[in-house]
Amino acid sequence: MKTLLSLTALCTTLLSAETPSEVLRQFKKSAQAKDFDATWAHTAKFEGQPKVLTDYFKEEIRDFIELTNMGWDFEIREEKVEGDCAVIVINEHKKNGVDSFDLDPIYLIKQGDQWKVLPELTNWDEAKRGMKDQVAILEKLELWFNRRKAEIKKAENP
């Protein structure tokens, strides 16, 4: 019986494990629904950060919610995971209601067993204060993104 319960718990954990892309989709869906609390729940938090930084991050999320509700949208192109960090290549394909092609990164980190979107989305300058262990990995992912962006642009515009 004990083995069966352990196996059931393991299967539930594996089935509920979300990829960074799935979390980003939920983050975007919450923003499109204008649900700050749900969007904020998918956002990385850092213990011990000054209140002014938390307020700044919350404002970044509010700006994201506002953008999504003004016709801005993106599609997920690729995902790269390194340990507890990830970068997702997005194409901002709608800006002010107009089709566009603009590749950007969105960074995520794993906190506990859940992927969380970094509050600055396309960079991690301010968030790195709370991520001492992940900085080297994020730098590596940033380099990967820059190379990959050039490759995708070249393939899209030969």
Side-chain angles (χ1 to χ4, degrees), residues 20-21 24-25 74-80 86-92 101-108 122 141-142 144-153:
S21 292
L24 182 57
R25 283 185 195 94
F74 67 86
E75 64 182 348
I76 294 173
R77 298 287 299 253
E78 296 181 24
E79 165 186 303
K80 175 130 175 99
V87 63
I88 297 175
V89 179
I90 64 162
N91 175 28
E92 295 181 67
F101 180 74
D102 184 11
L103 300 174
D104 280 310
I106 293 188
Y107 295 95
L108 294 90
T122 61
L141 288 172
E142 188 172 39
W144 175 86
F145 168 77
N146 290 331
R147 283 191 307 271
R148 193 66 193 120
K149 178 180 179 177
E151 293 167 359
I152 293 170
K153 279 188 166 188

Side-chain angles (χ1 to χ4, degrees), residues 96-113:
N96 299 320
V98 177
D99 291 338
S100 68
F101 180 74
D102 184 11
L103 300 174
D104 280 310
I106 293 188
Y107 295 95
L108 294 90
I109 61 169
K110 207 168 214 185
Q111 292 186 320
D113 63 347

Side-chain angles (χ1 to χ4, degrees), residues 45 57 74 112 135 154 158:
K45 321 268 185 325
F57 288 154
F74 67 86
V135 170
K154 186 176 181 182

